[in-house]
Amino acid sequence: MCRILIFGGTTEGRLLAEYCMQQEIAVCVSVVSGYGADLLPESRLIHVVSGRMEEKEMEEFMSRESIRTVFDATHPYAVEATGNIREACKRSGASYVRVTRESAAENGGGGREASASQTVYVDSASEAARYLKDREGGILVTTGSRELAAFTAIPGYEDRLFARVLPSAAVICACEELGIKGKHVIAMQGPFSEELNRAMMEQLGVRYLVTKEAGTAGGFLEKLSAASALSVTTVVIGRPSEDRDGVSLEEAKKLLMESKLQTCSMAGSENTSAKRKISLMGTGMGGRGQMTLAVAEELKRCDVLFGAKRMTEAAETLGAPADGILRIPIYGNREILEWLENHPEYRNAGVLYSGDTGFYSGASGMAAMLLQEPYCDIYDYCIYPGISSVSYLCAKMGRSWEQVKLISLHGRDCDVSLEVSQNPAVFTLLGGVHTVKELCEQLLNHGLSNVRMTVGERLSYSDERIVAGTPEQLAAMECSSLAVVMMERDEGREGTR
């Protein structure tokens, strides 16, 4: 199985994730914020882990997910994060690869000789603040929100300082807590062109620009050129020397491809005589606690899960290790089997179905395919039943369903009025064009006005709704597509059809 972890939140991290998506390499990508997660491409192959992790948490995650290779594509100045990642890799046994950003000097510009009369180099944000403390004029700080506190040592910083930060509510709030507010906060996502940098500095009327030597991907050269054109002094916080050792973005891509080829080769050579396993699992209605214990335990043994997004997200409610399993939001039988054919490294697949696998479920179609050649020679399969919507609703109604006629209008047609006229109780799934309103109209048009209808909407979820009434009373009801209906005929009141 491909067990690769990328620590991102940077341009390089995003580009590596995009490369993995293009090359169909399954990866985990760790980012600190929801904003960083939003910038990543949406793909069934990319499992995003959002939130800051300390060294111990990193180690536990790597061990739990059997991570083999870690690509550290964090910011060049994220020294603490890089140190934690290195130590976590040592303790968990994962290989560590530092992805470095090409510096401006390495790219043929922006070195210490460039515009020397207008460029000042310092080692830290605190040193930059000391340099600016006794000088006059506006200051544009582009070093990020985490460095801003150091600049509050500058007298009158509330009026002199302009902070260009990420457009995140948390970041803007942090700026305001430091006393940097209103027009002094510029929340934008970079990198920025020379023209935009120049226009911004002209508009603000600043005399100083504070930046990190963040390399070409960070827009460093564009900032230098804009500042030089306006005779603005640039204060550069030099890149930590330990960040120079590592591989380039292109070299990292080659290593990712090598890792994929090696993993696939191992999967092809190991257990070649053993069949792969597919578990067909009913997850109940989808709400928390709906899975049976057998389904929950089997799900945790899978290394990849398929199903509608609503179903695959249910795995998150089980916690570790289920919430870290690769989830692929597809549910077509042929699509699933084609994906597995292209990814032989995955040996234990799970396909999730709503409700019960035996009640109008796609599990029957998949089971039938797995009995045919060539699939019967490649896979073993097992079916794990779940709680059906009919048993759930009947339990809520306080009745049995032994004598209930079961039908479905989910992706199929049926003469409901005929079924109701011939059976004392009929239960149906709804979906597509078949709504509660359409069902009520059909019953009323056939003289079945006194049928008692019980509508179950979003069963098992926190916003579950169960409503009972006649077709006339429920005809105007607005209802979710996740709905079922029980129709009970009163023999003494209903006429013949």
Side-chain angles (χ1 to χ4, degrees):
M1 186 184 336
C2 251
R3 290 301 189 187
I4 300 168
L5 172 61
I6 298 172
F7 282 91
T10 58
T11 300
E12 290 78 12
R14 175 177 57 79
L15 292 174
L16 286 178
E18 290 176 352
Y19 178 78
C20 289
M21 179 180 69
Q22 294 163 1
Q23 300 300 324
E24 294 199 332
I25 302 172
V27 292
C28 293
V29 182
S30 173
V31 293
V32 172
S33 66
Y35 180 76
D38 291 340
L39 297 178
L40 293 171
E42 290 188 11
S43 170
R44 66 183 189 274
L45 297 168
I46 299 174
H47 175 58
V48 180
V49 182
S50 184
R52 190 180 302 278
M53 287 193 282
E54 299 301 329
E55 180 187 323
K56 184 64 176 176
E57 294 171 301
M58 293 177 182
E59 178 191 344
E60 291 173 351
F61 181 86
M62 293 175 194
S63 298
R64 184 173 69 243
E65 301 302 320
S66 302
I67 298 296
R68 293 176 179 170
T69 307
V70 173
F71 288 82
D72 177 7
T74 57
H75 196 278
Y77 288 83
V79 178
E80 182 181 353
T82 288
N84 288 341
I85 296 168
R86 277 201 181 103
E87 286 303 312
C89 286
K90 288 179 183 178
R91 294 178 182 277
S92 67
S95 299
Y96 174 83
V97 179
R98 177 57 171 153
V99 183
T100 58
R101 179 174 293 179
E102 183 181 27
S103 72
E106 291 167 350
N107 197 42
R112 292 181 180 264
E113 296 77 21
S115 304
S117 61
Q118 294 175 227
T119 306
V120 176
Y121 284 85
V122 296
D123 292 327
S124 66
S126 298
E127 188 178 338
R130 286 195 295 272
Y131 170 80
L132 294 165
K133 189 174 182 180
D134 299 322
R135 288 168 172 78
E136 297 180 354
I139 306 164
L140 175 60
V141 180
T142 64
T143 57
S145 59
R146 297 188 68 184
E147 306 282 356
L148 281 178
F151 295 94
T152 59
I154 299 172
Y157 75 91
E158 298 96 331
D159 298 319
R160 291 185 61 192
L161 223 61
F162 296 91
R164 193 165 76 187
V165 295
L166 290 174
S168 159
V171 170
I172 295 171
C173 182
C175 291
E176 292 178 341
E177 288 177 356
L178 291 173
I180 305 169
K181 305 176 181 178
K183 67 178 182 180
H184 290 269
V185 178
I186 305 162
M188 298 176 68
Q189 168 67 30
F192 305 96
S193 66
E194 178 183 340
E195 293 75 16
L196 184 53
N197 279 308
R198 181 170 177 172
M200 193 175 295
M201 285 187 270
E202 279 185 312
Q203 175 70 26
L204 299 174
V206 297
R207 294 182 59 183
Y208 296 92
L209 166 70
V210 182
T211 181
K212 293 176 178 177
E213 204 285 77
T216 54
F220 179 66
L221 292 178
E222 288 78 4
K223 284 189 274 190
L224 273 189
S225 298
S228 178
L230 297 172
S231 297
V232 169
T233 298
T234 304
V235 180
V236 181
I237 301 174
R239 191 190 301 195
S241 58
E242 56 265 34
D243 187 65
R244 304 292 181 180
D245 299 326
V247 301
S248 68
L249 178 64
E250 292 306 313
E251 289 171 330
K253 290 180 180 179
K254 291 179 182 177
L255 290 174
L256 280 166
M257 181 54 70
E258 289 174 6
S259 179
K260 176 188 177 182
L261 295 175
Q262 180 182 14
T263 302
C264 291
S265 174
M266 289 172 62
S269 59
E270 295 176 1
N271 300 319
T272 52
S273 60
K275 289 185 179 182
R276 297 159 75 184
K277 182 180 179 182
I278 298 181
S279 299
L280 311 180
M281 296 176 279
T283 61
M285 266 56 63
R288 196 177 189 88
Q290 280 294 297
M291 289 186 193
T292 65
L293 182 60
V295 168
E297 291 302 313
E298 180 61 24
L299 189 150
K300 293 176 183 179
R301 288 190 282 268
C302 296
D303 48 32
V304 60
L305 295 173
F306 300 93
K309 190 175 182 181
R310 181 171 67 92
M311 298 297 100
T312 58
E313 286 178 346
E316 296 181 9
T317 66
L318 299 177
D323 57 356
I325 298 171
L326 177 64
R327 298 191 291 275
I328 311 295
I330 59 176
Y331 48 86
N333 295 337
R334 294 196 181 280
E335 287 181 281
I336 292 171
L337 293 172
E338 285 176 6
W339 192 96
L340 288 171
E341 182 181 355
N342 292 327
H343 297 83
E345 65 270 26
Y346 292 93
R347 307 290 302 175
N348 297 294
V351 185
L352 306 181
Y353 301 94
S354 63
D356 177 49
T357 49
F359 180 52
Y360 291 102
S361 173
S364 59
M366 175 62 92
M369 287 190 69
L370 293 174
L371 290 173
Q372 301 173 7
E373 293 183 348
Y375 307 119
C376 60
D377 298 323
I378 303 171
Y379 303 101
D380 283 327
Y381 77 91
C382 190
I383 298 177
Y384 295 83
I387 301 172
S388 68
S389 53
V390 62
S391 63
Y392 184 97
L393 182 63
C394 284
K396 287 284 186 176
M397 294 172 65
R399 63 159 295 165
S400 73
W401 51 284
E402 294 171 354
Q403 306 300 321
V404 177
K405 173 72 174 183
L406 306 179
I407 63 174
S408 175
L409 294 173
H410 186 75
R412 62 187 71 203
D413 294 315
C414 179
D415 190 340
V416 178
S417 58
L418 177 61
E419 296 292 350
V420 172
S421 66
Q422 293 180 345
N423 297 279
V426 177
F427 174 92
T428 185
L429 304 172
L430 296 181
V433 297
H434 298 296
T435 62
V436 172
K437 181 179 179 181
E438 188 264 347
L439 193 58
C440 290
E441 290 176 352
Q442 187 178 155
L443 293 174
L444 290 171
N445 289 338
H446 288 81
L448 298 166
S449 59
N450 289 332
V451 169
R452 179 175 175 79
M453 303 175 68
T454 302
V455 179
E457 178 184 11
R458 291 187 59 78
L459 296 178
S460 81
Y461 290 96
S462 59
D463 56 346
E464 170 184 289
R465 183 170 61 147
I466 298 176
V467 181
T470 65
E472 187 174 7
Q473 291 169 335
L474 301 182
M477 180 179 176
E478 294 294 332
C479 194
S480 161
S481 60
L482 292 176
V484 297
V485 181
M486 176 72 77
M487 294 163 283
E488 299 170 288
R489 180 163 52 81
D490 189 326
E491 297 277 1
R493 288 179 292 172
E494 285 297 336
T496 57
R497 184 172 172 221

